[in-house]
Amino acid sequence: MHFDALTLCCMCAELKERICPGRVQQVLLASTQSFGLEIYAYGVRHYLLLSLETNRNGIYLATEKLRRGSDEQPPLLQVLRKYVRDALLTEIDQPDPYERVVQFHFQHPEHGATVLLAEPMGRLSNLLLLNPEGRILDCLHRVPPGERSQRVLLPGHFYT
């Protein structure tokens, strides 16, 4: 399925309606490139899949409970479990209607506000967790400074 900005806009509207506000009960690694969130909203458990796989990237609400698909423990998974698990999903938005970027705003009782940014863009897909100032706490695909990098994506740097 092609996941363009219009599709993403429609998906954001559906997600806002169904899972926002909601409490994140579980964060898991569904595959090496896919993360799952179990969100309890309106008396129902919802399963949000953030897939960054090249051939199946996108954001989906799964009908069945998501299962752990990989034994890997990437650093992003650990950071998501710290800042997103037990947090309240307060808002979902697409900051620019012409871009394929979705922001999930969370409020954790212990760690405060964070923003999970999903960029479902084929082979350039990425998932980043930001603090309120816009600094990257962690990301799935890190991009160090260099000749071929258009932007640096590393923990501690500002998201651009």
Side-chain angles (χ1 to χ4, degrees):
M1 174 180 169
H2 182 65
F3 215 81
D4 60 9
L6 181 61
T7 306
L8 200 58
C9 184
C10 294
M11 179 56 85
C12 280
E14 181 183 349
L15 291 175
K16 282 181 196 178
E17 187 177 299
R18 294 183 64 188
I19 64 172
C20 195
R23 180 145 327 266
V24 179
Q25 295 183 321
Q26 184 179 6
V27 177
L28 60 89
L29 188 65
S31 73
T32 57
Q33 300 291 311
S34 298
F35 291 81
L37 302 176
E38 180 182 280
I39 301 171
Y40 187 78
Y42 304 109
V44 178
R45 284 189 182 109
H46 300 275
Y47 304 100
L48 180 66
L49 180 65
L50 304 165
S51 178
L52 304 174
E53 296 174 13
T54 304
N55 58 349
R56 201 185 106 193
N57 65 332
I59 300 167
Y60 309 97
L61 274 177
T63 56
E64 298 177 5
K65 184 174 181 171
L66 298 173
R67 302 283 182 214
R68 185 177 60 165
S70 176
D71 289 331
E72 281 186 45
Q73 295 289 315
L76 179 60
L77 179 64
Q78 300 302 320
V79 173
L80 287 173
R81 285 182 175 161
K82 177 179 179 179
Y83 289 97
V84 174
R85 187 172 45 192
D86 299 326
L88 183 66
L89 174 62
T90 58
E91 186 182 347
I92 302 169
D93 67 347
Q94 185 181 12
D96 184 348
Y98 302 107
E99 293 290 332
R100 289 178 288 175
V101 176
V102 177
Q103 295 179 343
F104 297 89
H105 299 264
F106 296 98
Q107 185 65 42
H108 195 277
E110 183 180 342
H111 303 293
T114 54
V115 176
L116 181 62
L117 255 154
E119 299 176 331
M121 296 187 254
R123 65 181 184 82
L124 300 174
S125 295
N126 209 343
L127 193 63
L128 304 100
L129 187 65
L130 310 177
N131 70 9
E133 293 81 38
R135 283 193 186 271
I136 300 171
L137 295 172
D138 209 347
C139 54
L140 183 62
H141 301 293
R142 295 179 178 184
V143 180
E147 294 177 12
R148 295 184 175 177
S149 61
Q150 294 180 353
R151 62 184 180 156
V152 176
L153 297 176
L154 290 172
H157 285 77
F158 282 102
Y159 173 77
T160 56

